[in-house]
Amino acid sequence: MKKIILSLSLAIGLATTAFAQPELVTGPAISLDKDTHDYGDIAFDSNGACQFKVTNTGNEPLIISGCQGSCGCTVPKDWSREPLAPGASGKFSVKFNGSGANKVTKTITVTANTEKGSEVVKITAFVKPDPTITK
Protein backbone atom coordinates (compact mmCIF):
# COMPACT_ATOMS: atom_id res chain seq x y z
CA MET A 1 0.00 0.00 0.00
CA LYS A 2 2.82 2.41 0.83
CA LYS A 3 4.40 1.73 -2.58
CA ILE A 4 1.12 2.58 -4.35
CA ILE A 5 0.70 5.86 -2.44
CA LEU A 6 4.33 6.79 -3.06
CA SER A 7 3.98 6.00 -6.78
CA LEU A 8 0.78 8.04 -7.05
CA SER A 9 2.34 10.98 -5.22
CA LEU A 10 5.34 10.89 -7.53
CA ALA A 11 3.15 10.69 -10.65
CA ILE A 12 0.99 13.63 -9.52
CA GLY A 13 4.08 15.68 -8.71
CA LEU A 14 5.61 15.02 -12.11
CA ALA A 15 2.34 15.81 -13.91
CA THR A 16 1.98 19.09 -12.02
CA THR A 17 5.55 20.09 -12.90
CA ALA A 18 5.16 19.13 -16.56
CA PHE A 19 2.06 21.31 -16.97
CA ALA A 20 3.15 24.25 -14.83
CA GLN A 21 2.25 27.62 -16.30
CA PRO A 22 5.05 30.08 -17.08
CA GLU A 23 5.43 32.88 -14.58
CA LEU A 24 3.32 35.86 -15.63
CA VAL A 25 5.00 39.24 -15.85
CA THR A 26 2.98 41.95 -14.14
CA GLY A 27 3.30 45.41 -15.64
CA PRO A 28 5.25 46.33 -18.77
CA ALA A 29 8.27 44.21 -19.67
CA ILE A 30 10.83 44.75 -22.41
CA SER A 31 12.29 42.00 -24.56
CA LEU A 32 14.95 42.74 -27.17
CA ASP A 33 15.69 40.60 -30.23
CA LYS A 34 19.42 40.80 -29.45
CA ASP A 35 21.65 42.31 -26.81
CA THR A 36 24.63 42.97 -29.12
CA HIS A 37 25.14 43.98 -32.74
CA ASP A 38 28.56 43.29 -34.23
CA TYR A 39 29.46 45.42 -37.24
CA GLY A 40 32.51 43.24 -37.91
CA ASP A 41 35.53 44.90 -39.55
CA ILE A 42 34.86 48.46 -40.67
CA ALA A 43 36.97 51.23 -42.20
CA PHE A 44 38.05 54.10 -39.98
CA ASP A 45 35.39 56.85 -39.80
CA SER A 46 32.85 54.84 -41.83
CA ASN A 47 29.18 54.92 -40.90
CA GLY A 48 27.17 51.91 -39.88
CA ALA A 49 23.56 51.48 -38.89
CA CYS A 50 21.62 48.69 -37.24
CA GLN A 51 18.23 48.11 -35.66
CA PHE A 52 17.05 46.52 -32.45
CA LYS A 53 13.52 45.11 -32.17
CA VAL A 54 11.67 45.72 -28.91
CA THR A 55 8.66 43.67 -27.76
CA ASN A 56 6.42 44.29 -24.77
CA THR A 57 6.22 40.91 -23.04
CA GLY A 58 4.31 42.31 -20.05
CA ASN A 59 0.61 42.85 -19.45
CA GLU A 60 0.54 46.68 -19.40
CA PRO A 61 1.63 49.28 -22.00
CA LEU A 62 5.40 49.74 -22.38
CA ILE A 63 6.67 53.31 -22.71
CA ILE A 64 10.21 53.89 -23.93
CA SER A 65 11.12 57.31 -22.60
CA GLY A 66 14.62 57.49 -24.07
CA CYS A 67 17.61 55.86 -25.71
CA GLN A 68 21.10 57.15 -24.93
CA GLY A 69 24.42 56.19 -26.51
CA SER A 70 27.58 55.96 -24.42
CA CYS A 71 29.32 58.56 -26.59
CA GLY A 72 28.74 60.98 -29.46
CA CYS A 73 29.77 58.41 -32.08
CA THR A 74 26.87 56.13 -31.10
CA VAL A 75 23.50 57.73 -31.87
CA PRO A 76 20.24 55.89 -31.17
CA LYS A 77 17.15 57.25 -32.92
CA ASP A 78 13.67 56.46 -34.17
CA TRP A 79 12.55 54.56 -31.08
CA SER A 80 8.85 53.85 -30.69
CA ARG A 81 7.49 56.89 -28.87
CA GLU A 82 3.92 55.64 -28.62
CA PRO A 83 3.13 53.15 -25.84
CA LEU A 84 3.51 49.53 -26.95
CA ALA A 85 0.53 47.39 -25.98
CA PRO A 86 1.17 43.96 -24.44
CA GLY A 87 2.53 41.72 -27.20
CA ALA A 88 3.25 44.66 -29.54
CA SER A 89 6.68 45.35 -31.04
CA GLY A 90 8.63 48.44 -32.04
CA LYS A 91 12.22 49.21 -32.95
CA PHE A 92 15.03 51.69 -32.67
CA SER A 93 18.04 52.25 -34.87
CA VAL A 94 21.62 53.03 -33.96
CA LYS A 95 24.10 54.93 -36.11
CA PHE A 96 27.81 54.42 -35.43
CA ASN A 97 30.45 56.60 -37.08
CA GLY A 98 33.43 54.24 -36.80
CA SER A 99 35.71 56.43 -34.74
CA GLY A 100 38.30 54.83 -32.53
CA ALA A 101 40.72 52.06 -33.37
CA ASN A 102 40.87 48.28 -33.08
CA LYS A 103 38.12 46.55 -31.10
CA VAL A 104 35.45 49.07 -30.04
CA THR A 105 32.42 48.41 -27.84
CA LYS A 106 29.73 51.01 -27.19
CA THR A 107 26.50 50.80 -25.20
CA ILE A 108 22.98 52.11 -25.65
CA THR A 109 20.75 52.50 -22.59
CA VAL A 110 17.02 52.10 -23.25
CA THR A 111 14.98 53.79 -20.51
CA ALA A 112 11.43 52.49 -20.05
CA ASN A 113 8.63 52.17 -17.51
CA THR A 114 9.62 48.63 -16.54
CA GLU A 115 10.36 47.41 -13.05
CA LYS A 116 14.10 47.49 -13.80
CA GLY A 117 13.83 50.92 -15.46
CA SER A 118 16.39 50.38 -18.22
CA GLU A 119 18.06 47.86 -20.48
CA VAL A 120 21.52 48.08 -22.04
CA VAL A 121 22.45 46.82 -25.51
CA LYS A 122 25.88 46.91 -27.14
CA ILE A 123 27.41 47.48 -30.50
CA THR A 124 30.87 46.22 -31.33
CA ALA A 125 33.21 46.64 -34.28
CA PHE A 126 36.83 46.23 -35.24
CA VAL A 127 37.80 49.65 -36.60
CA LYS A 128 40.66 49.47 -39.07
CA PRO A 129 43.49 52.00 -38.61
CA ASP A 130 43.16 55.52 -40.03
CA PRO A 131 44.91 55.31 -43.44
CA THR A 132 46.01 58.97 -43.25
CA ILE A 133 48.23 58.30 -40.25
CA THR A 134 51.60 56.78 -41.10
CA LYS A 135 53.95 55.20 -38.64
Side-chain angles (χ1 to χ4, degrees), residues 46-121:
S46 65
N47 290 323
C50 67
Q51 286 189 342
F52 289 87
K53 181 180 176 186
V54 178
T55 302
N56 181 1
T57 54
N59 64 359
E60 293 180 14
L62 172 68
I63 300 169
I64 298 173
S65 56
C67 289
Q68 180 69 44
S70 57
C71 72
C73 66
T74 307
V75 183
K77 60 181 184 173
D78 302 328
W79 62 87
S80 304
R81 299 202 191 293
E82 296 297 318
L84 295 174
S89 295
K91 62 180 173 32
F92 65 93
S93 57
V94 178
K95 182 180 175 192
F96 176 62
N97 75 1
S99 63
N102 300 318
K103 182 72 172 181
V104 177
T105 301
K106 304 295 180 180
T107 61
I108 300 93
T109 302
V110 180
T111 305
N113 64 330
T114 61
E115 182 178 340
K116 188 175 170 185
S118 66
E119 295 291 328
V120 176
V121 295

Side-chain angles (χ1 to χ4, degrees), residues 2-17:
K2 287 183 180 181
K3 287 183 181 181
I4 293 172
I5 293 173
L6 182 60
S7 296
L8 272 172
S9 297
L10 182 59
I12 291 171
L14 287 173
T16 304
T17 303

